[in-house]
Amino acid sequence: MDPDGDQCIALWRVRPFDQWPQLEKPIEPIRIVAVLDTETTGLDPDRDIVIEIAVAFCQVDGLGRIVRVPSGGQARQDPGFPLSAKITQLTGLTDAMLQGHFINTSHIADRLNAVEAIVSHNAAFDRPFVERLLPELQDKPWVCSMNDANWAEWGFDGKKQDHLLMQTGLFNPVKHRAMSDVVSLVNLLDQEMPTGGSVIGECLDRAQRPTWRFEARGLPFDYKDIVKARGWKWNAKQKVWWTEVEEDQREIEEAWYARSFKPYTGQPNVEKMTWVTRYKT
């Protein structure tokens, strides 16, 4: 019992891949997706470096169930300079653990090019780093389990991976290492949702639907509270306000923008996004 007298919830350790139950009669078609995570020297893909990458290759059947996790692996990269104390504290990686290691980029690129899509929990972070490391993957579809899942509609609180995992009754004692995070994410992706489908099935379906990205440059400072209240975000690197909406919301967003800003800034840039182009920046 907790201090308030409420019933405690038991948490089960995440299932390792070698103990994954194999379904006897998976439903066709079987899709192969790569679940991926990276650890890096910082947050800027133009300056910082991948120091650890982990991938699990998952077989997903027609009902969205993860049938098997037949293979996976991880690799480390010596960045050529000392890690900051903050990165060592966050990842648990040290200079000694990375010294002399390198990532076989051609091998990983070949394996990833063979899958239908790459899944990570924050694709907007991982994708730019991976594409800088593996430029052969520029046209690969990506899925973001953080943003391509309807967590709030499914009754979840927040989007952080560890918190979501806990709400499904699972935990992983090892955190912020690439392979442990991949194991956690695969377990999370296999959970059944109130809709009857799985997280990975719902994410794959939603990621393939086109969306529309709106970008507005040069908005007067006085209007920032208006766009923030609308849900738009500020990209400091590109100095642009932006949002991304579903197909059926495009005309509604265009009409709102025209009413609010057209006399001052003209039309926003509107670009169709797919799972090939999404999360590139």
Side-chain angles (χ1 to χ4, degrees):
M1 302 289 287
D2 67 14
D4 295 324
D6 295 325
Q7 185 175 358
C8 292
I9 299 175
L11 296 179
W12 298 89
R13 189 165 182 159
V14 292
R15 181 186 291 119
F17 297 149
D18 59 2
Q19 296 178 21
W20 204 267
Q22 185 171 347
L23 297 177
E24 294 183 1
K25 296 181 180 180
I27 304 300
E28 298 289 341
I30 304 297
R31 298 178 285 183
I32 309 297
V33 300
V35 179
L36 176 148
D37 187 65
T38 62
E39 303 296 342
T40 67
T41 59
L43 303 178
D44 187 346
D46 293 331
R47 297 186 305 170
D48 295 307
I49 296 172
V50 174
I51 51 177
E52 188 172 59
I53 185 169
V55 183
F57 297 93
C58 302
Q59 297 179 355
V60 182
D61 80 348
L63 296 180
R65 299 172 298 179
I66 298 179
V67 178
R68 291 182 62 222
V69 188
S71 64
Q74 62 182 341
R76 297 175 187 166
Q77 177 81 20
D78 187 340
F81 53 83
L83 298 178
S84 70
K86 181 178 180 180
I87 294 299
T88 294
Q89 181 181 24
L90 178 65
T91 66
L93 291 167
T94 65
D95 296 332
M97 294 167 67
L98 299 177
Q99 186 175 9
H101 286 270
F102 72 95
I103 296 173
N104 187 336
T105 55
S106 60
H107 173 71
I108 297 178
D110 287 345
R111 294 294 306 276
L112 291 176
N113 262 322
V115 304
E116 180 175 346
I118 300 171
V119 185
S120 75
H121 195 63
N122 187 358
F125 175 84
D126 290 307
R127 180 170 189 172
F129 276 101
V130 170
E131 289 187 347
R132 182 183 175 194
L133 179 70
L134 309 171
E136 305 94 320
L137 302 179
Q138 293 287 333
D139 296 324
K140 202 70 194 171
W142 278 74
V143 180
C144 180
S145 55
M146 178 185 291
N147 295 309
D148 292 328
N150 290 315
W151 295 114
E153 292 183 18
W154 296 337
F156 286 80
D157 174 25
K159 292 185 177 182
K160 289 188 65 175
Q161 181 173 302
D162 290 343
H163 191 57
L164 292 169
L165 193 69
M166 182 185 67
Q167 290 177 81
T168 68
L170 298 171
F171 80 100
N172 190 336
V174 182
K175 300 183 183 357
H176 302 304
R177 289 294 302 278
M179 183 50 79
S180 65
D181 283 350
V182 165
V183 172
S184 293
L185 183 52
V186 172
N187 276 261
L188 181 61
L189 292 170
D190 195 48
Q191 297 300 305
E192 184 175 335
M193 293 297 98
T195 56
S198 68
V199 175
I200 183 61
E202 298 274 359
C203 286
L204 286 168
D205 289 345
R206 188 176 184 190
Q208 292 178 75
R209 302 173 195 164
T211 54
W212 294 90
R213 183 183 176 96
F214 286 69
E215 293 185 349
R217 299 181 185 275
L219 279 180
F221 182 80
D222 292 345
Y223 294 134
K224 69 179 181 64
D225 291 336
I226 299 175
V227 289
K228 284 176 67 176
R230 183 73 176 181
W232 287 50
K233 301 178 180 67
W234 172 248
N235 185 320
K237 187 174 182 179
Q238 298 181 357
K239 300 187 184 308
V240 62
W241 286 99
W242 70 276
T243 192
E244 195 167 325
V245 300
E246 303 284 345
E247 178 81 41
D248 60 357
Q249 295 297 306
R250 179 189 176 183
E251 292 185 1
I252 295 173
E253 201 67 20
E254 286 178 329
W256 171 82
Y257 189 94
R259 290 195 307 270
S260 303
F261 306 118
K262 185 176 179 180
Y264 308 99
T265 62
Q267 294 287 357
N269 181 60
V270 183
E271 181 181 1
K272 184 177 182 178
M273 307 298 290
T274 70
W275 68 341
V276 173
T277 59
R278 202 176 291 121
Y279 305 122
K280 273 187 170 291
T281 57

